[in-house]
Amino acid sequence: TYLNDFWEKGRSDGEEQSGEQQQQRASPARPSFGKKQLPSIPKNAVPITKPASPAATAQLANGTHASYGPFYLEYSLLAEFTLVIKQKLPGIYVQPSYKSALMWFGVIFIRHGLYQDGVFKFTVYIPDNYPDGECPRVVFDIPVFHPLVDPVSGELDVRRAFTKWRRNHNHIWQVLMYARTVFYKINTMEPLNPEAAVLYDKDVQLFKSKVVDSVKLCNSHLFDQPKMDDPYAISFSSWNPAIHDEAKERMFSHKRRPEDHQKGLPVSGLSWVKPGSTQPFSKDDNPPLS
Amino acid sequence: MVANGNRDGRQGEALVLKGVDPETCMIVFKNHWAQVVKILEKHDPLRSNTSSNMASAVQNYVEHMLFLLMEEDAGQAGAMGPILEFVVMENVMERLFLWSLRRQFTDDMKLEQLKMYEMIVGQARQPLLHHKPVLRPLMMLLSSCSGTAGPEVEAELVSLLNQLCCVLAKDQSVLELFFHTSEDQGAANFLIFSLLIPFIHREGLVGQQARDALLLIMSLSAENQRVAQHIAENTYFCPVLATGLSGLYSSLPTKLEVPGEEWHCLHREDWLQMPTLVQFLNSLEFCNAVIQVAHPSIRDQLVSYIYNGFLVPVLAPALHKLTLEEVMTTTAYLDLFVRSVSEPILLQTFLSFILLHRHENVHILDTLVSRINTPFQLGTVSLALFQTLIGLYCEDVMLQLILRYLIPCNHMMLSQRRVVKERDFYSVSAAKILALTPSCCSPEHSPPPLRQLDSILWSKGTDNSPNTDPSGDHPPPHQEHAQIYLDVNYLHYLYNARLGISSCTRACQVWSAPYDGEDPPPEEYQPSALEEAGARGRQAQTVNPKRSHPHPRPRPPCPPQTTDPAPTNQLELEWDDSYDAGPVVPPEAATAESSRPPQPPAAEPPKHIQEMRRTAIMLVKGSYIEESDFQDDVMVYDLVAKKDARDTVDRRRPSRETLPESDMDSEFTLEEDHFKVSSLQEKDEVPLSNGLSLPPHPTNMEVNSLEVTKGSKEVKAHVADHNSNLQSPLATEVGDDLMDQYEELIRTLGSDEAGTGGSSHVKTVDKEFRNPVVTPMEEDEVDFSSFSVDTPELEKQHSSLFGTKLRSGSTRSHSVPFTGPFVSVLLSRLENMLDNSLHVNLLLTGILAQLAAYPQPLLQSFLLNTNMVFQPSVRSLYQVLASLKNQIEQQASTKKDFPELITSAQHCLLARESSLKGQDTNSGDSRECSPLEAGRMMKSSPPPQPKTISLARTEVFATVLFTEFLKELAAIAQEHSILSHVPMEE
């Protein structure tokens, strides 16, 4: 349980950092240079897909889309990711994979209810014609015993909540939110796991014990190697003071860092506008000029 | 010689002295002194000619004595060592000084004495300056060296002063003594400070040393209220500094020889070649440093003097001179100054001058903005100035330039207001911007290396995903690799956009509002809510067509005010009699003033005006003397000498030698004597037997005779005033007519630092000022008022003249949505992109990219959101870009060789880019290239050497640049979609 706490704190921290890394990856760091220098090819090449929706292609008649489309997709996903960070969803942590922005690794902590103490790892797959395609898919690493989770593939039935994925209205954080909700509010309609649905409706006690078993099973595999060989895959390890103490220390001190960071930098911006005014030099502490 | 020849000898002696016991040293010292005293008593230099033998004997003894003094260690618990004690008791230093004073007090002797003090102050092992009998003769010496000394003495004097300031900085307890010692001579003063002032603007080492020393005192003032108060209230430090700027400015070339058409701002390499400019920048830098470290009272005073003594009376008229070249030069100077200033308060001074000051009823800012549209180099230089201003990340600047026109949100359809803050999730705007890429420039059309379409092997990263699909109706993800071609060049734009937006966002955290269409609330800044202001505005329009453009100056919802902010009214005051009308109040106070009972008009001009006047006079006279501070000191010692001279028959004189010790007595006597001397002085019959000179005479000055006469009168009046301390102020009588000429005076100040020497030059400058010589045939003679963006009838005129089109929307009224003259002018120039020269386009696109990087949603949505629906009368950046694309497509379709030309231009720009890249590392002036510009594809500066295409094919270069600009904008839009929406901490 301490581990869980640690993880939660840790993730929120790591998430920010990895978000940073991820973004930098999108536009690789380079010394100041002239534009025409041939850049090294990014290791995680920007994912591309077949051209986006026909509508979009038609709109961009002269072929610029072919060259820039991947950038649009990448930035759309980055925007989604920043939105997830902003939402601060309780108990949910995600991180785009190193290899592709279309695949996000995640973990969800269930803090109460039937699935209490469950720690479920999952992967989000985003269609490559995003945002004009289907709803993103959520697949648990280990199929949790749940009416809406496929007992074989571990895929959560997300599409029932997002029958039609609408750009600008639907966002990936909503999918994650939904993935969390299913563990608190059980729905047995049109189940992917009929056994779980039936048990829940007919024999809650048995359902509960099956859930406990499933939670135990999932948690027992917590320290397993990530299913995917990806540097950004989420992996758990048991507490190792040599590594984690220091990391924990850093995380706790991280909170203070932004201010310190700012203090070090010279304040580059200027303002003498009094809040609430739109007059230049309206602040009271302006030295008199005459 | 005392100090001179003995440094080497001393080294040897030091070794010998080691081990000699203090008592022996004491005995030796006393013996020497006894010998010296004998000589002093026997051979008074005023009675008999002191033989050089005697003098050198004294020197010899003194040398040894000083050496013993220096080598002496302090006694226990910091007590004086016995030798020092003896020196203090016997008043050794003072007696020595007075003796030499009565001999021929030549520069050589001064030099000698200065060096002597420099040596003992610097090398003594115990603190000497704490003791009045040591300090006082030092002060006398310093006073006697002021004003008239030769360059060698000056150099030594400043060096010693610098040393004293270092001592002060380390040990503030001496400070009190510095003040007290002076008090003996009457008014409290701070001699070492006053003595440094005349050297403020001096060139070379002396000036540098003086400025360093003054800075030490400035930082002292930050902690010591007394020092601060003294400097602010009793010295002319600030006025001298500020008027000095004016003086130095007037010696700058009024017309720059620009290297070429593409030149647009003064780079380091440029101004290093101009000694006068270097000197001006040194002084400006010094002001900057003073403002940084000094006490707020000094700081505020200095800032005020710079505003009222330099910017308003000197720079404002200079910005409105009559020829294009002159105005262009002034603009380039202003740009350089703004770039050179780092201290926010000083920057604010410059900025409020630019933003709020009105010259002849027109805001400087409006004038500068309108000049962007001049087709000559002035337009380019003006653009560069605005690039600098925008790069400051200053809310006040952005507010005046653009934001205040956007706050009411009238430029968009009402329904669009909620869109302002919306985030562009799917890079729609970027895609629309990039879709404007001309077909002749589209990525597929250009072969590498011009278009860096790079094949990138990428994986969809779905390798190990489960292949099962519960619903089975969409295909399972499969391992997939594909080769695609990307414009890799675009990654650089993204990277730079990220850097630019990040630093801008960080900088804007100090701003007062987010400018997101909600805060400040648009409702409160509607024209209807500003009816009164509007009415006034219209009134003003009828009165003065120049002011016809309605600045919807949004006001805070506080008390109703006039259209123009109070500060403006204050600041626009010129150097004329209006100052006499009443006290000048700070802007804030002025606003508050109305609620207070009206104050009776001051009988006198404000204090700072009086001071400025005095300072100016003194500067004109060639050497700056602060009469109220140390002039009396000088006189005291002068008088001591003269009195002695007259008293040759007086046998009781020995008691007079120690005159300053009996304070009451001496002061009384001196006052009396002083008056005598003053009257003598007027007849020019003062016998100066000792080489000390009286306060400056106008003898060597050939400056404007009128001013000089007045000036000397003034000074005399002041002297009299000062001496009869509490009597009615005589000075004011002289003042009034002088006031009238003040402005001229200040301008004619001349040429050289502190006005020394350059009298003929002054005349020339003066002449130019009064009768600006403009040959009517001069091609660059242009009436700048015609460039005002907001004068419709004139618009036609100059559009026909210079081919620049102005917006028809400029005949606007309050009801017509308007995004401000700056945006309007920028877009107008951009619209002519195909006709603009390459460097103009580089500046233009640079500025627009700079603006686009600002995170404020109002700006972002206006510049980058291609989905926004604006009012029909409002032109957007996207519209202009779209029309440019059409123009380009038309060109491309009509000119057969267009594709080849494009390729040549691309090669040419590439070559230029790589040649610039090499130079970049050398130029250290970091502020000259903003972070945004740093990574731009091509940069401005030296002319490219096209091999196959002439730069005159502006439309070809513009096409290439246009394409790059689209990428730059798109990249900024994309980065905004992820950066601007994440709180900064994250």
Side-chain angles (χ1 to χ4, degrees):
Chain A
T1 50
Y2 181 71
L3 179 73
N4 284 4
D5 289 343
F6 167 73
W7 232 96
E8 286 171 38
K9 288 186 183 101
R11 283 316 310 148
S12 64
D13 178 40
E15 200 170 87
E16 286 161 14
Q17 288 181 345
S18 66
E20 191 66 27
Q21 285 166 10
Q22 186 66 20
Q23 289 170 358
Q24 278 176 6
R25 231 159 245 295
S27 42
R30 222 159 259 131
S32 69
F33 42 80
K35 277 288 165 52
K36 288 294 181 181
Q37 205 172 28
L38 202 72
S40 59
I41 295 168
K43 277 183 200 138
N44 62 330
V46 193
I48 181 125
T49 66
K50 46 210 147 168
S53 72
T57 326
Q59 175 196 351
L60 310 160
N62 66 5
T64 52
H65 195 81
S67 305
Y68 300 106
F71 294 109
Y72 307 150
L73 177 62
E74 181 88 1
Y75 274 73
S76 303
L77 294 170
L78 277 173
E80 287 289 351
F81 184 69
T82 58
L83 210 51
V84 171
I85 292 175
K86 230 177 172 178
Q87 295 298 323
K88 295 189 164 66
L89 301 171
I92 297 183
Y93 304 92
V94 286
Q95 170 157 276
S97 92
Y98 178 87
K99 286 179 185 153
S100 166
L102 289 170
M103 179 166 67
W104 295 10
F105 303 115
V107 62
I108 182 167
F109 294 88
I110 307 299
R111 283 153 182 172
H112 48 83
L114 292 171
Y115 289 86
Q116 186 169 349
D117 295 336
V119 181
F120 308 124
K121 291 207 268 182
F122 60 89
T123 308
V124 182
Y125 298 96
I126 301 150
D128 53 17
N129 55 351
Y130 180 86
D132 299 313
E134 301 280 332
C135 159
R137 298 163 54 213
V138 173
V139 181
F140 288 100
D141 284 14
I142 297 166
V144 198
F145 185 73
H146 189 284
L148 302 186
V149 175
D150 186 291
V152 182
S153 68
E155 175 149 3
L156 173 70
D157 185 1
V158 179
R159 293 216 296 167
R160 67 168 60 214
F162 303 91
T163 43
K164 171 105 180 72
W165 187 262
R166 294 187 300 157
R167 47 156 60 205
N168 279 315
H169 287 272
N170 292 129
H171 294 293
I172 294 175
W173 70 267
Q174 295 162 341
V175 174
L176 299 175
M177 184 72 139
Y178 172 74
R180 180 178 175 273
T181 316
V182 297
F183 292 104
Y184 295 103
K185 264 182 99 175
I186 312 283
N187 184 350
T188 55
M189 299 281 284
E190 297 175 50
L192 291 185
N193 184 343
E195 183 201 353
V198 170
L199 274 186
Y200 182 79
D201 289 337
K202 302 278 156 68
D203 187 353
V204 176
Q205 285 313 312
L206 186 55
F207 178 81
K208 276 182 181 171
S209 76
K210 283 247 186 191
V211 165
V212 168
D213 290 345
S214 177
V215 165
K216 272 184 189 159
L217 179 77
C218 286
N219 289 1
S220 73
H221 288 285
L222 203 57
F223 297 139
D224 289 1
Q225 281 299 304
K227 279 177 78 178
M228 265 171 240
D229 181 25
D230 188 293
Y232 289 172
I234 295 173
S235 86
F236 286 82
S237 68
S238 53
W239 185 265
N240 177 352
I243 304 165
H244 297 123
D245 276 350
E246 193 204 332
K248 185 179 159 194
E249 178 99 356
R250 266 210 314 271
M251 279 170 219
F252 280 99
S253 61
H254 178 258
K255 288 242 149 63
R256 266 170 273 124
R257 221 172 39 195
E259 290 165 25
D260 294 348
H261 190 58
Q262 273 169 25
K263 253 179 226 164
L265 285 170
V267 181
S268 48
L270 298 165
S271 170
W272 293 280
V273 181
K274 189 178 178 179
S277 162
T278 56
Q279 290 300 306
F281 308 111
S282 47
K283 252 184 196 168
D284 297 330
D285 56 350
N286 290 333
L289 288 180
S290 43
Chain B
M1 297 307 129
V2 172
N4 240 3
N6 295 307
R7 292 228 163 109
D8 301 334
R10 230 169 31 76
Q11 294 292 332
E13 275 186 78
L15 294 171
V16 180
L17 255 183
K18 248 175 209 164
V20 177
D21 67 304
E23 274 174 49
T24 313
C25 290
M26 183 65 195
I27 292 166
V28 172
F29 188 91
K30 279 184 173 169
N31 278 337
H32 284 2
W33 177 240
Q35 297 299 322
V36 171
V37 169
K38 255 188 216 164
I39 299 174
L40 296 194
E41 283 173 354
K42 269 190 199 156
H43 304 273
D44 189 298
L46 293 175
R47 277 179 297 168
S48 56
N49 265 346
T50 316
S51 71
S52 55
N53 276 348
M54 286 302 125
S56 69
V58 170
Q59 273 170 17
N60 227 350
Y61 285 124
V62 169
E63 225 167 75
H64 283 260
M65 287 162 60
L66 290 180
F67 172 64
L68 289 167
L69 175 61
M70 275 188 317
E71 291 298 317
E72 186 184 59
D73 289 308
Q76 288 198 326
M80 284 185 273
I83 294 179
L84 178 56
E85 198 173 350
F86 182 82
V87 167
V88 169
M89 296 297 290
E90 292 290 313
N91 214 2
V92 170
M93 302 308 287
E94 194 159 311
R95 288 174 72 182
L96 284 172
F97 173 72
L98 288 174
W99 187 74
S100 47
L101 196 64
R102 273 200 298 280
R103 297 171 56 219
Q104 291 295 321
F105 199 49
T106 57
D107 274 8
D108 280 348
M109 292 193 64
K110 289 175 188 169
L111 208 55
E112 220 168 72
Q113 297 252 334
L114 288 170
K115 283 183 174 165
M116 178 182 91
Y117 273 101
E118 194 181 357
M119 191 174 74
I120 62 170
V121 169
Q123 297 181 31
R125 297 178 181 180
Q126 51 188 332
L128 299 180
L129 296 176
H130 287 93
H131 308 290
K132 272 197 182 181
V134 178
L135 187 60
R136 198 161 39 211
L138 169 61
M139 289 304 184
M140 296 183 198
L141 171 66
L142 293 176
S143 327
S144 69
C145 290
S146 69
T148 54
E152 274 187 40
V153 176
E154 279 187 344
E156 194 55 40
L157 174 67
V158 170
S159 166
L160 175 58
L161 289 171
N162 186 305
Q163 195 179 28
L164 292 173
C165 290
C166 292
V167 172
L168 262 187
K170 278 184 217 139
D171 180 6
Q172 287 196 34
S173 62
V174 193
L175 188 67
E176 285 301 301
L177 289 160
F178 273 107
F179 273 108
H180 282 303
T181 313
S182 318
E183 271 170 16
D184 291 348
Q185 273 79 50
N189 71 38
F190 192 12
L191 184 63
I192 58 170
F193 179 78
S194 312
L195 284 172
L196 283 167
I197 293 183
F199 300 96
I200 288 180
H201 300 292
R202 195 61 72 84
E203 274 177 287
L205 182 67
V206 172
Q208 198 51 53
Q209 258 185 336
R211 288 190 289 269
D212 289 348
L214 284 167
L215 275 185
L216 286 172
I217 295 179
M218 285 303 130
S219 29
L220 200 63
S221 78
E223 302 153 30
N224 189 307
Q225 177 64 36
R226 181 171 178 186
V227 171
Q229 198 179 348
H230 174 76
I231 293 171
E233 291 174 10
N234 303 325
T235 76
Y236 297 125
F237 178 68
C238 296
V240 166
L241 253 186
T243 47
L245 284 183
S246 301
L248 292 173
Y249 184 86
S250 68
S251 62
L252 298 180
T254 49
K255 293 179 184 181
L256 287 173
E257 281 176 34
V258 296
E261 203 206 338
E262 74 291 338
W263 181 90
H264 60 267
C265 76
L266 281 160
H267 288 278
R268 195 180 162 77
E269 313 84 81
D270 298 332
W271 59 257
L272 278 178
Q273 309 296 319
M274 301 168 59
T276 49
L277 193 49
V278 170
Q279 214 190 337
F280 182 92
L281 289 176
N282 278 342
S283 287
L284 187 62
E285 188 193 359
F286 180 63
C287 291
N288 193 62
V290 168
I291 288 166
Q292 203 160 31
V293 298
H295 188 271
S297 60
I298 299 173
R299 187 191 67 195
D300 293 352
Q301 201 186 34
L302 178 55
V303 156
S304 159
Y305 276 114
I306 290 175
Y307 192 94
N308 295 301
F310 170 57
L311 294 175
V312 170
V314 176
L315 210 55
L319 280 171
H320 293 82
K321 283 188 184 177
L322 288 178
T323 68
L324 271 174
E325 277 177 317
E326 284 176 309
V327 172
M328 191 259 316
T329 301
T330 312
T331 309
Y333 287 150
L334 179 59
D335 172 55
L336 175 64
F337 300 160
V338 171
R339 278 185 286 127
S340 308
V341 165
S342 67
E343 187 56 24
I345 293 172
L346 187 52
L347 204 48
Q348 188 215 359
T349 311
F350 274 85
L351 292 179
S352 69
F353 167 73
I354 294 172
L355 300 183
L356 298 180
H357 178 66
R358 289 198 292 174
H359 186 80
E360 286 161 8
N361 224 19
V362 179
H363 282 270
I364 298 273
L365 184 69
D366 292 340
T367 307
L368 293 173
V369 166
S370 68
R371 286 178 184 165
I372 291 176
N373 234 347
T374 52
F376 311 109
Q377 199 144 22
L378 175 59
T380 327
V381 172
S382 301
L383 275 175
L385 172 64
F386 280 99
Q387 189 170 40
T388 301
L389 291 178
I390 292 166
L392 293 174
Y393 305 131
C394 174
E395 181 176 9
D396 309 62
V397 170
M398 293 301 289
L399 194 57
Q400 289 299 90
L401 276 183
I402 304 174
L403 287 171
R404 63 184 177 135
Y405 302 99
L406 303 182
I407 289 170
C409 288
N410 290 332
H411 59 291
M412 62 186 85
M413 295 297 185
L414 196 62
S415 61
Q416 296 291 302
R417 283 197 194 173
R418 57 179 177 78
V419 183
V420 169
K421 280 174 83 174
E422 257 172 29
R423 168 187 340 207
D424 179 12
F425 272 104
Y426 311 113
S427 302
V428 173
S429 293
K432 273 188 95 173
I433 290 169
L434 284 170
L436 295 177
T437 306
S439 49
C440 55
C441 289
S442 94
E444 293 78 18
H445 280 70
S446 327
L450 297 174
R451 184 65 48 174
Q452 293 165 2
L453 278 185
D454 229 331
S455 119
I456 292 181
L457 187 68
W458 63 279
S459 83
K460 288 178 84 174
T462 47
D463 314 30
N464 303 321
S465 65
N467 265 358
T468 45
D469 189 306
S471 53
D473 54 4
H474 49 257
H478 53 280
Q479 201 154 329
E480 186 180 352
H481 291 281
Q483 270 212 331
I484 55 148
Y485 287 93
L486 287 176
D487 185 357
V488 176
N489 174 314
Y490 188 64
L491 283 176
H492 297 258
Y493 283 110
L494 286 170
Y495 179 65
N496 284 304
R498 182 177 190 80
L499 289 184
I501 295 170
S502 305
S503 56
C504 188
T505 309
R506 210 178 301 119
C508 292
Q509 282 179 313
V510 299
W511 285 26
S512 75
Y515 299 95
D516 55 1
E518 289 171 19
D519 178 16
E523 297 74 26
E524 290 182 29
Y525 300 99
Q526 293 304 312
S528 56
L530 300 162
E531 207 166 307
E532 194 198 333
R536 281 167 189 275
R538 276 187 291 279
Q539 226 169 32
Q541 281 172 40
T542 54
V543 171
N544 182 356
K546 268 190 188 172
R547 296 266 304 122
S548 65
H549 69 274
H551 285 229
R553 284 178 194 283
R555 329 219 97 263
C558 41
Q561 290 170 316
T562 53
T563 325
D564 293 303
T568 328
N569 294 331
Q570 279 309 323
L571 300 179
E572 75 183 19
L573 290 174
E574 292 291 347
W575 285 91
D576 58 20
D577 291 282
S578 59
Y579 270 116
D580 288 5
V584 178
V585 280
E588 292 81 10
T591 336
E593 203 80 347
S594 51
S595 58
R596 279 190 228 138
Q599 297 191 339
E604 274 181 70
K607 189 181 163 205
H608 71 273
I609 300 305
Q610 295 180 32
E611 283 174 7
M612 286 291 279
R613 187 199 299 158
R614 259 180 267 159
T615 315
I617 292 155
M618 283 181 284
L619 281 166
V620 168
K621 284 162 60 50
S623 69
Y624 172 79
I625 302 275
E626 225 172 289
E627 72 273 58
S628 74
D629 274 314
F630 62 86
Q631 188 167 317
D632 47 349
D633 294 61
V634 178
M635 285 189 172
V636 166
Y637 297 114
D638 184 36
L639 289 168
V640 171
K642 266 181 276 169
K643 195 167 175 57
D644 284 350
R646 274 176 287 143
D647 279 355
T648 40
V649 279
D650 188 351
R651 297 286 153 186
R652 286 160 61 229
R653 198 180 8 76
S655 69
R656 287 249 168 237
E657 271 180 18
T658 53
L659 184 144
E661 273 183 3
S662 50
D663 287 342
M664 294 286 282
D665 184 27
S666 67
E667 225 174 307
F668 175 73
T669 336
L670 284 171
E671 193 108 279
E672 213 176 65
D673 284 341
H674 198 146
F675 277 113
K676 282 183 205 154
V677 172
S678 294
S679 53
L680 276 176
Q681 188 187 334
E682 300 217 305
K683 292 176 209 155
D684 257 346
E685 289 171 8
V686 193
L688 296 176
S689 58
N690 65 349
L692 272 181
S693 79
L694 280 165
H697 293 274
T699 43
N700 295 327
M701 301 299 299
E702 298 158 33
V703 200
N704 234 310
S705 58
L706 177 68
E707 269 89 1
V708 170
T709 323
K710 285 184 183 304
S712 60
K713 224 199 243 170
E714 171 88 344
V715 169
K716 278 172 199 155
H718 271 288
V719 171
D721 183 21
H722 188 81
N723 287 323
S724 52
N725 263 326
L726 296 169
Q727 294 173 18
S728 66
L730 300 170
T732 46
E733 293 174 358
V734 198
D736 290 352
D737 53 338
L738 208 114
M739 207 60 171
D740 301 333
Q741 286 149 14
Y742 188 74
E743 186 178 355
E744 271 167 63
L745 229 169
I746 264 238
R747 286 179 182 177
T748 49
L749 269 189
S751 41
D752 290 346
E753 26 83 36
T756 38
S759 49
S760 60
H761 189 108
V762 167
K763 275 180 183 162
T764 329
V765 171
D766 185 37
K767 198 178 154 204
E768 277 179 12
F769 260 110
R770 287 174 215 222
N771 315 304
V773 190
V774 187
T775 328
M777 296 314 286
E778 258 179 46
E779 57 152 41
D780 56 358
E781 187 202 358
V782 172
D783 176 16
F784 294 108
S785 59
S786 71
F787 291 108
S788 168
V789 259
D790 37 64
T791 326
E793 65 274 20
L794 287 168
E795 250 169 47
K796 281 182 220 132
Q797 213 179 71
H798 80 122
S799 62
S800 60
L801 267 175
F802 312 117
T804 46
K805 281 171 254 164
L806 264 181
R807 286 277 290 147
S808 54
S810 44
T811 34
R812 56 204 161 254
S813 73
H814 273 283
S815 52
V816 179
F818 178 50
T819 51
F822 183 62
V823 166
S824 167
V825 160
L826 279 186
L827 294 184
S828 291
R829 286 221 82 167
L830 188 70
E831 201 162 46
N832 289 322
M833 196 174 179
L834 298 191
D835 301 321
N836 290 339
S837 65
L838 174 65
H839 54 271
V840 166
N841 283 336
L842 283 167
L843 273 170
L844 261 181
T845 53
I847 288 174
L848 284 164
Q850 226 176 342
L851 290 175
Y854 272 87
Q856 285 69 28
L858 275 178
L859 253 180
Q860 241 190 78
S861 60
F862 174 63
L863 291 173
L864 294 173
N865 190 338
T866 54
N867 288 336
M868 278 284 248
V869 186
F870 296 109
Q871 295 287 351
S873 65
V874 168
R875 192 171 40 164
S876 70
L877 176 59
Y878 182 75
Q879 280 174 339
V880 174
L881 293 175
S883 94
L884 278 170
K885 178 201 159 71
N886 288 338
Q887 292 175 42
I888 290 169
E889 298 292 2
Q890 207 170 354
Q891 296 261 358
S893 64
T894 51
K895 291 179 184 166
K896 271 184 210 156
D897 58 346
F898 208 67
E900 291 97 287
L901 287 172
I902 293 281
T903 311
S904 309
Q906 284 170 329
H907 277 293
C908 167
L909 289 171
L910 258 181
R912 167 203 177 91
E913 160 97 345
S914 39
S915 80
L916 282 174
K917 222 186 292 168
Q919 287 179 4
D920 266 5
T921 41
N922 305 335
S923 73
D925 212 338
S926 61
R927 288 188 67 181
E928 279 173 11
C929 102
S930 70
L932 280 176
E933 198 197 18
R936 290 172 56 78
M937 175 198 163
M938 291 147 277
K939 278 197 294 187
S940 41
S941 238
Q945 300 296 324
K947 279 172 193 151
T948 54
I949 178 168
S950 151
L951 271 180
R953 303 300 300 262
T954 53
E955 78 284 4
V956 179
F957 282 95
T959 300
V960 176
L961 198 59
F962 175 76
T963 310
E964 296 300 318
F965 183 46
L966 294 179
K967 285 195 261 179
E968 189 170 20
L969 286 177
I972 292 170
Q974 284 207 286
E975 283 292 342
H976 270 310
S977 74
I978 56 174
L979 281 180
S980 301
H981 298 270
V982 181
M984 222 28 208
E985 318 72 85
E986 288 168 339

